[in-house]
């Protein structure tokens, strides 16, 4: 019997039922009264020493000398056997394609490395290097690391980041502190993460709910910089320092004041009206309508009204100004005024994020985002339709068949598209260093669209998809070497491609009881919106496909065979 067995406590079942209980004395009054006890005076002969006490057929015969085995030390059931050698490992069961060697180089952005490992099974992930960020030898406190991870993920998700990128950031934070066996889970309003120390330990799970959403790409860039510093082995960031920087990010003020945002919405609407053929008067009218709608939306937000009503109220002033110009018989394109006002309201950012989540496999989050886009769009439709209906009743002659065309001056169109992207970047609260790049990216998008649609006479849907693809490609290239998010480089650049005119003419046709023509125009607007979203995502995926990620595995995707 080994020492390990001797050290084991004897259970109640191991004790004999015929032993006297503790505290009793055989010689005294408290003697045993069992019926199996020997009567007094009865002598029972004991067996001699030469008689064998064992009667098992497995007993060792007399004369056979057997060397007693050495005492074995206690060990874990998961330790490899003593005969195992790593250099001469025995063959094991592997998949038909084999298990490739994962080599994640550190000279690539952390987004690519984390996406690579998130697509791998837990058993195939490379082990993290020893972390030096703990407060002592035992490592950092797991609940605090999970809490920091959830807070960082909350800021990213509330800022409009895609679900896959949020999961990659959360996994990067956990891995930087040595927590490798973690599984982040992101939905539209809920963040959860689970960490299991080992196969025999209970997992630790934490969650956090996203209550409010806001568009601030400066804060988004600061969070990405924090994750980048945590992922860098040469930058030692303790938990206390990470919490301090996160608190500073939350307290940071927006880079642009309120009056600048209102002016940017006016510039955006005015530039959009020029893109559809407007002149100076149309530019001024569209800008005034958009700024008035922006102020009304801020007023509704201050009163606690939901965003649906904010969009409804913001859509009314541009439409009302267009109807007023028509009733006043002013020789301007009233349709261009209303179309320019709609450009500042179309939820292109949420649409791109929703389609991106659907294409990357986050269907629950994608459904929620697209439902949000639908509600916003319905709010815009309600506001514009209400104004157009009263305008038609008052005798405003708005022609739904008057197609808006581009100007004959390409340089003017390119300048208007760049001004639109610039104003859009200010509305998104981007850093001043990224405003120039996204402005140039928006100009490139309009050049490609104009060359394909107006010069090449190609379908507007195909032209929009190609231009959006270049926006996604250039945005990904600009962001990956800055170790930042791609949203500041792509979202504002798709502004000139938004389907404002198709949306307006569809609503106008419905207001004039021409439902069939209105639905056709709205279907075109939906097709253009989907072309923008898919094009941006496809451009990003192309950049990841042809650029080195550092692993032979790249980023695994869901593997299916013809739908089953």
């Amino acid at each position: 019997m080994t020492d390990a067995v001797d050290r084991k406590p004897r259970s109640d079942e191991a004790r004999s039922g015929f032993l006297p209980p503790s505290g009793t004395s055989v010689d005294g009054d408290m003697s045993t009264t069992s019926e199996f006890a020997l009567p007094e005076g009865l002598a029972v002969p004991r067996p001699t020493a030469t008689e064998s006490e064992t009667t098992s057929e497995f007993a060792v015969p007399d004369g056979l000398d057997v060397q007693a085995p050495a005492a074995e030390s206690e060990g874990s059931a998961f330790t490899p056997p003593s005969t195992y050698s790593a250099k001469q490992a025995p063959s094991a069961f592997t998949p038909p394609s084999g298990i490739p060697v994962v080599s994640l180089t550190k000279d690539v952005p952390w987004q690519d490395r984390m996406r690579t490992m998130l697509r791998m099974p837990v058993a195939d992930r490379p082990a993290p290097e020893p972390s030096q960020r703990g407060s002592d030898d035992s490592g950092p406190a797991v609940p605090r690391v999970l809490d920091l991870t959830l807070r960082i993920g909350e800021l990213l998700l509330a800022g409009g980041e895609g679900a896959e990128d949020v999961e990659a950031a959360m996994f990067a934070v956990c891995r930087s502190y040595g927590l490798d066996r973690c599984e982040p889970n992101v939905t539209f309003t809920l963040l959860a993460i689970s960490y299991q120390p080992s196969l025999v330990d209970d997992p630790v799970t934490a969650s956090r709910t996203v209550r409010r959403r806001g568009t601030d790409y400066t804060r988004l860039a600061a969070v990405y910089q924090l994750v980048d510093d945590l992922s860098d082995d040469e930058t030692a960031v303790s938990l206390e320092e990470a919490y301090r920087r996160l608190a500073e990010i939350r307290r940071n003020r927006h880079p642009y004041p309120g009056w600048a945002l209102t002016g940017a919405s006016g510039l955006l609407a005015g530039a959009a009206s020029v893109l559809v053929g407007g002149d100076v008067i149309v530019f001024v009218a569209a800008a005034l309508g958009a700024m008035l709608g922006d102020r009304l939306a801020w007023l509704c937000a201050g009163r606690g009204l939901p965003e649906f009503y904010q969009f409804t109220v913001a859509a009314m002033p541009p439409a009302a100004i267009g109807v007023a110009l028509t009733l006043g018989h002013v020789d301007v394109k009233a349709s261009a005024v209303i179309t320019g006002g709609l450009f500042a309201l179309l939820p292109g950012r949420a649409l791109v994020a929703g389609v991106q989540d659907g294409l990357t496999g986050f269907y629950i989050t994608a459904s929620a985002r697209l439902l949000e886009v639908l509600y916003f769009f319905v709010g815009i439709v309600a506001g514009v339709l209400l104004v157009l209906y009263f305008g038609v009743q008052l005798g405003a002659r708005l022609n739904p068949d008057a197609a808006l065309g581009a100007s004959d001056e390409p340089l003017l169109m390119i300048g208007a598209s760049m001004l639109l992207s610039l104003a859009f970047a200010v509305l998104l609260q981007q850093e001043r260093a990224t405003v120039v790049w996204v402005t140039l990216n928006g100009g490139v998008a309009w050049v490609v669209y104009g060359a394909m649609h107006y010069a090449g006479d190609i379908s507007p849907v195909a032209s929009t998809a190609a231009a959006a693809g270049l926006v996604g490609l250039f945005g990904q290239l600009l962001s990956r070497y800055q170790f930042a998010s791609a949203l500041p480089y792509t979202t504002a650049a798709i502004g000139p491609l938004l389907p404002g005119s198709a949306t307006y003419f569809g609503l106008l046709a419905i207001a004039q009881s021409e439902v069939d023509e209105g639905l056709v125009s709205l279907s075109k607007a939906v097709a253009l919106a989907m072309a923008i979203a898919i094009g941006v995502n496809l451009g990003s995926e192309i950049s990841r496909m042809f650029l080195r990620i550092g692993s032979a595995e790249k980023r695994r995707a869901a593997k299916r065979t013809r739908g089953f």
Side-chain angles (χ1 to χ4, degrees):
M1 183 176 296
T2 62
D3 297 338
V5 177
D6 294 337
R7 289 198 305 269
K8 293 182 178 179
R10 298 184 63 186
S11 62
D12 295 338
E13 292 81 359
R15 299 188 180 94
S16 175
F18 307 106
L19 295 177
S22 59
T24 60
S25 175
V26 180
D27 298 334
D29 297 334
M30 301 296 295
S31 61
T32 58
T33 58
S34 172
E35 60 269 20
F36 298 101
L38 295 177
E40 297 181 359
L42 179 61
V44 179
R46 296 181 58 83
T48 60
T50 59
E51 183 179 356
S52 177
E53 297 181 1
T54 58
T55 58
S56 172
E57 60 269 22
F58 300 103
V60 180
D62 295 339
L64 180 62
D65 187 11
V66 180
Q67 186 178 1
E72 297 181 358
S73 60
E74 291 185 83
S76 173
F78 301 99
T79 56
S82 59
T83 58
Y84 177 81
S85 175
K87 295 183 179 180
Q88 300 177 354
S91 59
F93 294 101
T94 59
S97 59
I99 299 178
V101 178
V102 179
S103 177
L104 296 174
T105 59
K106 299 180 181 179
D107 56 348
V108 295
W110 60 264
Q111 298 97 316
D112 296 332
R113 291 186 280 124
M114 296 304 110
R115 290 191 191 101
T116 302
M117 285 185 287
L118 276 176
R119 295 287 181 171
M120 294 180 182
V122 179
D124 297 345
R125 294 175 183 170
E129 297 182 359
S131 175
Q132 304 297 330
R133 300 188 176 97
S135 57
D136 50 15
D137 296 338
S138 62
V142 173
R144 294 193 65 195
V145 174
L146 297 184
D147 178 71
L148 176 67
T149 303
L150 290 174
R151 291 177 182 273
I152 291 177
E154 178 190 9
L155 288 180
L156 293 177
L157 187 62
E161 191 62 84
E164 184 183 32
D165 295 325
V166 176
E167 284 195 357
M170 294 173 64
F171 187 77
V173 175
C174 286
R175 191 175 176 84
S176 63
Y177 288 102
L179 306 185
D180 183 49
R181 290 181 172 273
C182 61
E183 289 294 337
N185 186 18
V186 176
T187 57
F188 186 59
T189 58
L190 182 65
L191 297 169
I193 188 167
S194 177
Y195 169 69
Q196 188 173 13
S198 66
L199 295 176
V200 296
D201 292 329
D202 295 332
V204 181
T205 304
S207 62
R208 193 173 183 89
T209 303
V210 179
R211 301 292 183 184
R212 297 183 60 184
R213 300 177 182 274
T215 303
D216 189 348
Y217 283 178
T218 300
R219 177 180 295 176
L220 190 70
V223 176
Y224 261 78
Q225 183 61 45
L226 174 59
V227 178
D228 180 38
D229 293 340
L230 291 175
S231 304
D232 189 4
D233 295 334
E234 299 179 357
T235 305
V237 181
S238 62
L239 271 176
E240 289 73 15
E241 177 68 15
Y243 268 107
R244 185 190 63 80
R245 291 179 56 179
L246 191 62
E248 291 180 355
I249 293 173
R250 287 181 174 273
R251 288 194 300 264
N252 279 348
R253 297 182 61 183
H254 299 304
Y256 307 103
W259 62 266
L261 299 180
T262 302
S265 63
L267 289 178
L268 192 154
S273 65
V274 174
L275 286 179
V276 294
D279 52 11
V280 179
I281 299 178
V282 172
F283 180 93
V284 175
L288 290 176
M291 289 189 291
L292 182 57
D294 180 77
R295 288 292 90 192
L296 290 177
W298 277 103
L299 181 62
C300 294
R303 296 297 185 270
L305 289 178
E307 286 184 298
F308 176 84
Y309 301 105
Q310 297 176 28
F311 274 82
T312 302
V313 172
M316 289 182 177
I321 291 178
V323 171
L325 292 176
T326 303
L327 292 174
H329 303 288
V330 182
D331 188 15
V332 295
K333 291 183 178 180
S335 301
V337 176
I338 302 176
T339 300
L342 291 180
F343 265 83
L345 299 176
L346 293 178
R349 173 183 56 88
L351 176 65
V352 172
V355 174
Q356 178 183 355
D357 289 340
L359 294 176
T360 52
F362 295 86
Y363 301 112
I364 297 178
T365 308
S367 302
R369 288 187 190 272
L370 293 178
L371 184 61
E372 181 187 35
V373 171
L374 178 61
Y375 271 100
F376 292 164
F377 190 77
V378 171
I380 297 172
V381 168
V384 175
L385 274 181
L386 184 62
V387 175
L388 292 180
Y389 177 78
F390 284 105
V392 171
Q393 298 299 320
L394 293 175
R397 296 182 179 179
L398 299 172
N399 185 10
D401 297 329
L404 297 175
S407 175
D408 295 334
E409 300 178 6
L411 295 179
L412 178 62
M413 306 298 294
I414 296 174
S417 64
M418 296 178 66
L419 180 60
L420 193 153
S421 299
L422 174 63
F424 205 171
V426 174
L427 285 176
L428 294 175
Q429 302 280 359
Q430 292 189 198
E431 290 182 305
R432 292 176 174 85
T434 63
V435 170
V436 177
W437 292 108
V438 74
T439 302
L440 296 176
N441 202 7
V444 170
W446 183 259
V447 168
V448 174
Y449 174 79
M452 294 181 64
H453 179 56
Y454 296 112
D457 199 17
I458 301 177
S459 168
V461 177
S463 302
T464 301
L470 283 179
V471 168
L473 177 61
F474 291 154
Q476 193 66 230
L477 292 176
L478 290 172
S479 65
R480 65 182 285 112
Y481 294 109
Q482 298 292 333
F483 295 87
S485 172
L487 289 181
Y489 300 96
T490 57
T491 305
I494 65 173
L497 305 176
L498 293 176
S501 59
T503 304
Y504 161 69
F505 285 119
L507 299 179
L508 179 59
I510 294 176
Q512 295 182 350
S513 301
E514 298 178 2
V515 181
D516 295 338
E517 290 79 1
L519 292 179
V520 171
S521 184
L522 290 179
S523 300
K524 179 182 177 181
V526 172
L528 291 174
M530 294 298 294
I532 293 173
I534 295 176
V536 170
N537 181 261
L538 183 60
S540 301
E541 295 297 332
I542 289 175
S543 67
R544 295 170 184 166
M545 184 183 304
F546 291 102
L547 295 177
R548 182 170 63 89
I549 294 181
S551 171
E553 278 292 281
K554 304 283 184 191
R555 181 181 63 166
R556 291 185 178 182
K559 187 176 181 181
R560 297 186 176 89
T561 305
R562 295 177 180 87
F564 54 84

